[in-house]
């Protein structure tokens, strides 16, 4: 679910809207994603903030090093990185990245997993929602995904209710 901005860039979705989607009958899980930018060694990168509790319920993330459990355990001071980013920068699980955000000049983050997300949904670097809010200042969702617990023929009704 993404906001309709009339053809322009998407407008932010308030976190309260994400909660409201989760209360729609027929929705079994909702996961928000937020985006911010950071600098690592002078390079500007995109950082995704994901809901570690529900993201795996609505999106199947592939892994080079890690698992759904790795995502569930993603905490403060930890990041997931994309496979291509890891290879381009010779990084592996256990290494530390130091990010510069709008709020924090030096934010050391330990790599705990390497994703292989061919759809590019989580990008080069991913953190938990609390980290992207507290350390980056990003409070609104860029988009949300929902999983349904109704038969296929009833999904259109759930979508309309959202």
């Amino acid at each position: 679910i993404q906001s309709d901005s009339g053809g322009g860039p998407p407008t932010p979705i308030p976190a309260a809207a994400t909660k409201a989607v989760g209360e729609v009958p027929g929705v079994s899980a909702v996961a928000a994603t937020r985006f911010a930018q950071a600098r690592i060694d002078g390079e500007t990168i995109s950082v995704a903030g994901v809901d570690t509790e529900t993201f795996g319920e609505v999106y199947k993330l592939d892994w080079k090093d890690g698992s759904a459990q790795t995502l569930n355990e993603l905490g403060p001071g930890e990041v997931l990185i994309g496979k291509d980013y890891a290879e381009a920068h010779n990084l592996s699980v256990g290494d530390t990245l130091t990010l510069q955000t709008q709020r924090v000049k030096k934010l050391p983050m330990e790599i705990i997993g390497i994703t292989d997300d061919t759809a590019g949904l989580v990008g080069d670097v991913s953190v938990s929602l609390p980290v992207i809010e507290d350390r980056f200042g990003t409070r609104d969702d860029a988009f949300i995904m929902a999983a349904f617990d109704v038969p296929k023929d009833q999904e259109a009704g759930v979508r309309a209710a959202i």
Side-chain angles (χ1 to χ4, degrees):
I1 302 165
Q2 188 171 341
S3 64
D4 181 4
S5 60
T11 55
I13 301 170
T18 301
K19 183 178 184 214
V21 169
E23 295 170 356
V24 172
V27 173
S28 60
V30 175
T33 302
R34 300 175 184 177
F35 293 103
Q37 290 189 330
R39 293 186 62 78
I40 300 175
D41 296 328
E43 176 186 6
T44 301
I45 59 148
S46 178
V47 178
V50 297
D51 185 333
T52 59
E53 294 178 17
T54 58
F55 192 83
E57 295 178 47
V58 299
Y59 184 75
K60 183 182 180 308
L61 190 58
D62 292 323
W63 296 87
K64 178 182 179 207
D65 193 345
S67 67
Q69 182 74 21
T70 308
L71 174 63
N72 291 341
E73 295 174 353
L74 182 64
E78 299 174 331
V79 296
L80 305 174
I81 62 172
K83 181 181 89 165
D84 293 343
Y85 188 83
E87 290 172 357
H89 296 85
N90 197 29
L91 296 167
S92 59
V93 169
D95 289 346
T96 298
L97 292 176
T98 300
L99 287 74
Q100 178 182 353
T101 75
Q102 290 180 327
R103 289 192 166 178
V104 181
K105 189 168 180 95
K106 290 187 177 184
L107 179 63
M109 304 288 278
E110 180 186 356
I111 299 167
I112 66 162
I114 299 175
T115 61
D116 188 9
D117 181 28
T118 55
L121 191 61
V122 294
D124 291 334
V125 176
S126 301
V127 298
S128 67
L129 284 182
V131 169
I132 207 158
E133 184 170 321
D134 296 339
R135 301 298 186 180
F136 292 77
T138 304
R139 300 192 183 292
D140 292 322
D141 301 330
F143 64 90
I144 57 177
M145 297 180 292
F148 303 148
D149 60 1
V150 298
K152 274 274 197 225
D153 65 339
Q154 295 178 19
E155 287 182 2
V158 176
R159 282 189 182 91
I162 293 173

